[in-house]
Amino acid sequence: MNTVAHKNLLEIGELLHDTATDRVGEFHGAMPGWWTLRTPGAGREWAVESGAVEPAGAYEYMRAETARLNARRRRMP
């Protein structure tokens, strides 16, 4: 597992893979021992242990883009 070592290397909005739940989310912030991720496209935020995340790969980027497009489509009249 290629876990993300340190939050200072991350930027808000960086795409990460939550290995504990197999979810993809954008980095949103940090608390001691925990990071908050948000579903791409301004979805719901959740907390994940900092050791349970890894950088998103090509597959996770594809999943995130699909989720973002589906969310945008649902908002259309």
Side-chain angles (χ1 to χ4, degrees):
M1 179 184 307
N2 182 18
T3 59
V4 179
H6 200 273
K7 77 168 184 74
N8 290 337
L9 302 175
L10 298 174
E11 294 184 25
I12 300 294
E14 188 167 339
L15 202 60
L16 299 171
H17 176 221
D18 175 353
T19 60
T21 62
D22 194 33
R23 294 169 69 185
V24 178
E26 298 171 345
F27 178 73
H28 197 257
M31 303 171 280
W34 294 86
W35 292 355
T36 54
L37 303 180
R38 183 179 295 263
T39 305
R44 293 184 63 176
E45 187 174 280
W46 76 95
V48 60
E49 289 186 65
S50 57
V53 293
E54 63 185 13
Y59 176 70
E60 286 83 23
Y61 273 94
M62 183 181 67
R63 286 174 52 194
E65 182 63 11
T66 301
R68 187 187 66 77
L69 290 172
N70 286 341
R72 186 174 77 180
R73 188 172 141 226
R74 283 191 294 272
R75 288 190 297 263
M76 295 175 69

